[in-house]
Amino acid sequence: MKRILLCLLFISQLAFGDDGYRLWLKYDLIKDVPKREAYARSVQFIALNGTSSILKSAADELQMGLQGLLGKTVPIITNAGSRTGGIVLSVASAPNAGSQTLVADGYQLTGRKSGNITIFGKTDSGVLYGAFALLRQLQTGQSVENLSLTSIPKIQYRLLNHWDNTNGTIERGYAGESLWKWYELPATVDPRYRDYARANASLGINGTVVNNVNASARFMTAEYIEKVAALANVFRPYGIRVYLSVYFPAAKTIGGLKTSDPLDPEVRKWWADKTREIYTAIPDFGGFLVKANSEGEPGPQDYGRTHADGANMLAEALKPYDGIVMWRAFVYKADPKADRFKAAHEEFTPLDGQFDKKVIVQVKNGPIDFQPREPFSPLFGNMPKTPLSMEFQITQEYLGFATHWVYEAPIFKECLETDTYVKGKGSTVARVIDGSLHQYTMTAIAGVANTGADRNWTGNPMAQANWYAYGRLAWDHTLSSEGIADEWIKMTLTREPSAVKTIKNIMMRSREIYVNYNTPLGLSRPWSGVHFAPEPWQEKSVRPDWTAIYYHRADSIGLGFDRTATGSNALAQYRPEVQQQWNNPETCPLPYLLWFHHVPWTKKLSTGRTLWDELCTRFYTGADSVMWMQKQWAQVKPAVDPAIFADVTGRLITQHKEAIWWRDSWVLYLQTYSKQPIPASLPKPERTLEDVKALSEIYKLR
Ligand code: GCW
């Protein structure tokens, strides 16, 4: 009977394919029999001497993983005694961690051929992360004999930020509705919440902000605290704490007070009481995330107070508890004459040293807004007395939503590895946020999630890699983009060597390809709207700094935003060594050129082409490269699941169409200023500027 069932299951898998639900935790049977048998000899039992729910999760995950990978049930026992040939979970300092002491949630895997594999962690969570690391060894086909692997997270708070609303929608979400079914909670708890927690724990993510930073005050009501507590109960056994985004005037809107002035004693009391109420329901609550005085959200400045006043009020409310305030630095005023690039630095650097020690200031990787390529935010390095955390965006707001395949690890790495020079050479952004540069007392990183209720979590199956890569880098920013891709492919798609190589190659080139057809040479496009359709012509918007022309500054002379001393002088916010790299249009690396310079159309670039010709070349090469992606992907057909293959194939067709749409829109629009022909070697767009404008208008219709 069992056989028939298994058979049916297999056939149904073949017929319907892989729906992507299991992410990188697939645990499919290892096909290489000798390897499988070798693994099986090393993992005959799981010894768990402890009762905490986190340790139990570790043992259960191992058991489930081994069942799938090896096709056998490995028993969980309480004490290994003198037995060998099993896995021992041990909450203890590892005996030979070498120079690396096992701190925080680090783990060590040790194994000897004739002994046991021991997973050491100083904390229960450390053991859980070690269990996932051991499974990863098996999933990626590595040996578990003579294991000696120590890994320690470089950043303390590793969070996802969900921009999810009470009505089930997700701001900038492209994978369906919110995972959180607020209407059903707390009584109905979707089993999917647990799989969400497992996926995050497998990466070392230890916190999640469940609601949008454009926050609803409802999350501070008893009704919602109860719902959030139900989620926290599911996440706790996976070492994940919940956090909430705060609507700053909540004391007024739901508390009934006359003000939400952070210096008002009644307001402070309201927050202290509210915080106590939250901790009563969620004893391990993580803390608050705040977007204030930004893009219309209210904040302390409405009362003539500073960001520090606002943050410190919440820190005071959190004082009795182990919680923190993450205060966002994403602020800018609607001033057409100002340079939005400079706003966060201008507002926050004067406050350095004024924040409570429970406050961390959360800074987006770039000074503007998650562009396909952006220089690092000049705040990094310039607030030595205030812990700064990194906010990356995993969801593809500016990266083509769920139809474009863009592997983001290179975006994250590019920022982390850039040198700020604030304490001389080697003062990378990574060293700012991991605290080693300024000896921060607290370190954190956040990724704006790309998950939704779509069966495969991320819409585009390839976008799962971005969730994965963010988590792995949050744990250890020194990992390479390529190494992470390699792991992910092997765990998620295939272990067939040539297919792994081909897919990795597509992934590693995908971001540059996107930049080429979308925003080459340092163009940016944070203009208003849904951030999908090209509208470089956009001149009107509710705010002057939400138009396209504000950013690209195209005119009859040239293109780009002059941020040197002759322009906004935003460059002055960086150290001289950084300025030197970017302030001369002759030597500024081409990927950053138009971020800092207004360049004449006819100017010869280092490629030997004029600006105009170079732009056209990049737009065309970018769009053509999507065909290269298609051809490469076609080659891996025999090695990947048919459903996933078909899904990605379809998306690549759309991506190509849309890449041409972007190319044509930019080229035809910019041509009205450059007044230059498209280089003879390139085909002319098959449509007119009016055609592409009409397309974008249609896109905006409901
Ligand atoms: O990039 C902009 C987005 C907004 C977002 C905002 C922010 C949550 O377009 O949708 O709001 O950034 O980060 O606060």
Side-chain angles (χ1 to χ4, degrees), residues 163 171-172 214 291 295 328 330 364 369 397 531:
W163 288 355
E171 181 151 349
R172 314 301 180 186
N214 291 328
K291 171 175 179 177
E295 300 189 328
R328 293 176 90 227
F330 180 67
K364 288 188 182 182
D369 193 13
E397 175 178 359
H531 296 161

Side-chain angles (χ1 to χ4, degrees), residues 294-306:
S294 163
E295 300 189 328
E297 291 297 317
Q301 291 177 342
D302 305 350
Y303 301 93
R305 312 301 182 193
T306 67

Side-chain angles (χ1 to χ4, degrees), residues 44 125 130 145 255 288 510 618:
Q44 294 168 48
S125 293
E145 282 170 11
F288 299 124
S510 60
R618 297 211 179 201

Side-chain angles (χ1 to χ4, degrees), residues 307-627:
H307 286 288
D309 293 330
N312 293 349
M313 171 193 70
L314 294 171
E316 180 185 82
L318 285 163
K319 203 166 183 182
Y321 315 100
D322 178 27
I324 59 167
V325 180
M326 295 163 295
W327 193 272
R328 293 176 90 227
F330 180 67
V331 296
Y332 58 102
K333 305 238 155 50
D335 178 354
K337 292 208 191 69
D339 181 358
R340 174 175 168 185
F341 191 113
K342 291 162 67 177
H345 184 281
E346 282 170 350
E347 276 206 46
F348 277 83
T349 49
L351 300 175
D352 192 24
Q354 293 182 28
F355 289 94
D356 184 278
K357 61 180 189 312
K358 270 179 171 286
V359 179
I360 192 155
V361 171
Q362 183 165 313
V363 185
K364 288 188 182 182
N365 59 294
I368 300 233
D369 193 13
F370 301 136
Q371 294 305 289
R373 172 167 274 119
E374 212 169 318
F376 71 94
S377 165
L379 267 179
F380 293 117
N382 282 319
M383 293 192 68
K385 294 188 226 128
T386 311
L388 296 184
S389 68
M390 172 66 74
E391 180 175 313
F392 282 130
Q393 192 179 47
I394 314 172
T395 190
Q396 293 178 230
E397 175 178 359
Y398 295 99
L399 296 172
F401 294 7
T403 38
H404 295 231
W405 181 356
V406 182
Y407 176 49
E408 294 169 344
I411 306 183
F412 305 152
K413 289 286 286 185
E414 183 172 283
C415 175
L416 291 166
E417 284 172 359
T418 310
D419 204 335
T420 68
Y421 286 93
V422 289
K423 284 192 169 181
K425 201 169 161 44
S427 308
T428 58
V429 172
R431 293 197 53 219
V432 174
I433 63 153
D434 74 12
S436 60
L437 199 66
H438 301 298
Q439 278 72 51
Y440 286 160
T441 48
M442 211 175 14
T443 56
I445 185 163
V448 180
N450 63 349
T451 50
D454 276 5
R455 183 70 190 159
N456 72 4
W457 304 83
T458 56
N460 189 333
M462 296 304 134
Q464 292 181 357
N466 294 333
W467 179 7
Y468 185 86
Y470 163 74
R472 296 288 284 137
L473 288 171
W475 178 273
D476 181 356
H477 56 69
T478 66
L479 297 174
S480 72
S481 303
E482 204 164 355
I484 296 171
D486 193 80
E487 273 174 17
W488 177 79
I489 297 164
K490 288 178 178 158
M491 294 164 80
T492 315
L493 297 175
T494 178
R495 280 182 40 201
E496 199 280 307
S498 76
V500 172
K501 202 168 149 212
T502 305
I503 298 169
K504 202 171 17 177
N505 194 19
I506 306 176
M507 288 170 75
M508 291 304 292
R509 290 188 54 189
S510 60
R511 186 277 189 116
E512 221 53 60
I513 291 172
Y514 185 86
V515 167
N516 274 340
Y517 64 73
N518 196 272
T519 45
L521 299 177
L523 280 172
S524 62
R525 42 165 285 230
W527 53 71
S528 77
V530 292
H531 296 161
F532 189 84
E535 287 178 275
W537 43 82
Q538 190 195 66
E539 289 176 348
K540 287 203 192 74
S541 175
V542 284
R543 283 175 61 150
D545 55 347
W546 283 356
T547 59
I549 55 167
Y550 173 91
Y551 295 96
H552 62 61
R553 311 252 150 160
D555 59 21
S556 59
I557 296 160
L559 180 68
F561 201 129
D562 182 3
R563 293 192 163 99
T564 66
T566 53
S568 77
N569 209 14
L571 264 174
Q573 294 181 337
Y574 293 104
R575 285 296 188 276
E577 293 89 336
V578 179
Q579 291 180 31
Q580 212 185 352
Q581 292 168 28
W582 289 333
N583 72 5
N584 180 352
E586 303 297 329
T587 52
C588 179
L590 295 185
Y592 295 100
L593 186 64
L594 303 176
W595 270 108
F596 296 108
H597 301 281
H598 190 70
V599 182
W601 297 111
T602 50
K603 162 117 194 128
K604 264 248 166 82
L605 304 183
S606 55
T607 56
R609 284 187 275 263
T610 63
L611 172 70
W612 169 251
D613 285 358
E614 186 64 35
L615 278 166
C616 291
T617 306
R618 297 211 179 201
F619 283 122
Y620 275 82
T621 318
D624 284 352
S625 302
V626 182
M627 286 195 292

